[in-house]
Amino acid sequence: MSMGGHPLLWLPCLIAACAGCGSGASPAGDVGDAGASSANDAGSGDAIVGSSTDTGTGNDAPSAPADASRDAGGAPHDDGGVSVEAGDAGGSNFDQNGPIAFTTTSAMVQNGADGFTVNIYLPSSPGPHPVVSLTPGLQQTTAAYAPYSERLASYGIVVLVRDDPGLLVQSQIIAGDLEYVIGTWLPAQNADASSPLHGAVDLTKVGLTGHSRGGQVSLLAAEDALLGKVVAWFGIDPDDPGTIDGFTESSELAQTNLAKVGIPTAFLGGQVATFCTPANINYQVLYAVAPSPSVVITAVNASHTEFEVQSACVDCGVCVPMGTANQQVVLAYAVRYLTAFFARELLGVASVGATFQGAGAPADEAAGLVQITSK
């Protein structure tokens, strides 16, 4: 979950026997429980189990939440954006969906004894496409991050998202699954003529992102088996928990080997320190040891769970105190910055700029919404 690894934060789920944990809606085609095992197909070893066509075409706003780019009064929120002409990613600051339609599907993946569902956002344009894997926070589901996935897919980037497997699964296990998905499963799917991913992925253009402990998970994978296979990383208020109150969430800290990761990184985090993101494990700690080039974006007056779709966020109320920033505005610019980062690193859109000058950063800074530092 977005809980930063604190065992006390799990009590609401334990008391309720996890009733409602992981209950957020999944993309069409998702078969449900991320812990379910699957029968293996001959050839790829994993089954694509469902698909549907998304309405995310042209310059549509994100379908979840529908009001992600609207202000508190329900009026459209103006981020200073420029309309996107079809096929012209460089003409946008990425404040709305791009011109490419996409579909959603899901696949059952078996990594040894560990079976889980990967949800896939697949652009309809001809491939191969870059790919971004998004790792949710503790207890969080794919639905909580739908605007990020939809925005990326609408600009021609394949997105892979797995629901978090739960509070008893440590970061190293999830990182190992991510390493398998990117290093083994995805190349097999890309080469399998029967897979919807056949020929769809450019394996030389892989990016990782994650929220909360999902940031730690994705960094651990990038520093280990995926070192040299991942070309960019973006953290959504990531934290780096180890052993807390006697429970080991991760036996290795991402900050330990971050200096050798050797790829562009970006850190987006809330200015408000919460029970879920203590200052000694937060995004600023990770940014401090990240190699250049790196950017840190501080979301002024925002807190840890404001980067998610609120209706799909599990136990968001535990992460106190909440920030005073407009949550819908925070989510809107978070989606914009993440998309712009991967457009720059995976699609080669130079107009984004080193510190997001071409993605609305000057206007956001002038309005007091964010503070941006780079190295």
Side-chain angles (χ1 to χ4, degrees):
M1 179 179 172
S2 321
M3 293 180 173
H6 297 270
L8 289 176
L9 298 173
W10 305 334
L11 289 177
C13 287
L14 293 174
I15 292 171
C18 277
C21 293
S23 59
S26 297
D30 187 355
V31 296
D33 190 347
S37 296
S38 66
N40 290 342
D41 282 352
S44 67
D46 302 284
I48 302 290
V49 295
S51 65
S52 66
T53 302
D54 197 280
T55 57
T57 58
N59 297 329
D60 295 343
S63 61
D67 58 357
S69 59
R70 295 177 179 271
D71 64 23
H77 172 67
D78 183 4
D79 287 299
V82 181
S83 296
V84 184
E85 297 299 326
D88 180 18
S92 169
N93 73 356
F94 305 97
D95 64 341
Q96 57 187 310
N97 279 11
I100 300 172
F102 56 89
T103 59
T104 57
T105 188
S106 60
M108 293 299 295
V109 177
Q110 197 71 37
N111 180 22
D114 195 10
F116 52 93
T117 299
V118 170
N119 297 300
I120 304 165
Y121 292 75
L122 184 61
S124 62
S125 55
H129 307 280
V131 61
V132 169
S133 177
L134 191 161
T135 304
L138 178 63
Q139 298 278 102
Q140 303 308 298
T141 68
T142 296
Y145 307 93
Y148 299 96
S149 301
E150 293 172 358
R151 188 70 54 83
L152 289 169
S154 75
Y155 280 96
I157 297 175
V158 172
V159 184
L160 308 177
V161 195
R162 170 194 179 182
D163 291 352
D164 182 77
L167 55 89
L168 297 181
V169 182
Q170 294 184 3
S171 295
Q172 272 81 11
I173 301 299
I174 309 171
D177 287 340
L178 176 56
E179 291 165 3
Y180 175 79
V181 167
I182 299 299
T184 301
W185 179 82
L186 188 59
Q189 293 291 318
N190 202 41
D192 184 354
S194 67
S195 170
L197 289 170
H198 178 238
V201 175
D202 183 344
L203 296 169
T204 69
K205 296 180 179 179
V206 177
L208 301 182
T209 184
H211 178 223
S212 192
R213 79 149 173 185
Q216 180 190 57
V217 165
S218 53
L219 274 178
L220 289 173
E223 295 163 2
D224 188 29
L226 298 185
L227 186 65
K229 296 180 180 179
V230 172
V231 300
W233 178 90
F234 188 104
I236 308 167
D237 210 16
D239 55 22
D240 195 23
T243 299
I244 302 175
D245 295 337
F247 180 86
T248 300
E249 182 167 332
S250 177
S251 59
E252 180 182 354
L253 297 179
Q255 62 193 269
T256 302
N257 294 310
L258 181 52
K260 72 175 187 180
V261 73
I263 57 176
T265 58
F267 299 80
L268 169 64
Q271 186 181 50
V272 179
T274 73
F275 186 49
C276 302
T277 53
N280 64 320
I281 62 170
N282 73 357
Y283 71 104
Q284 294 282 6
V285 171
L286 290 167
Y287 173 72
V289 296
S292 178
S294 188
V295 179
V296 60
I297 307 168
T298 298
V300 176
N301 294 328
S303 59
H304 191 53
T305 61
E306 293 184 68
F307 302 100
E308 298 179 64
V309 177
Q310 296 301 286
S311 61
C313 183
V314 179
D315 289 335
C316 267
V318 178
C319 293
V320 293
M322 295 296 292
T324 59
N326 183 318
Q327 189 275 326
Q328 295 172 355
V329 172
V330 172
L331 180 60
Y333 67 64
V335 172
R336 170 159 46 87
Y337 285 129
L338 179 142
T339 305
F341 174 78
F342 286 117
R344 186 185 71 198
E345 301 301 331
L346 303 181
L347 298 175
V349 182
S351 61
V352 170
T355 55
F356 303 100
Q357 304 96 316
D364 287 346
E365 289 186 289
L369 297 176
V370 301
Q371 299 167 353
I372 300 178
T373 302
S374 65
K375 59 183 175 181

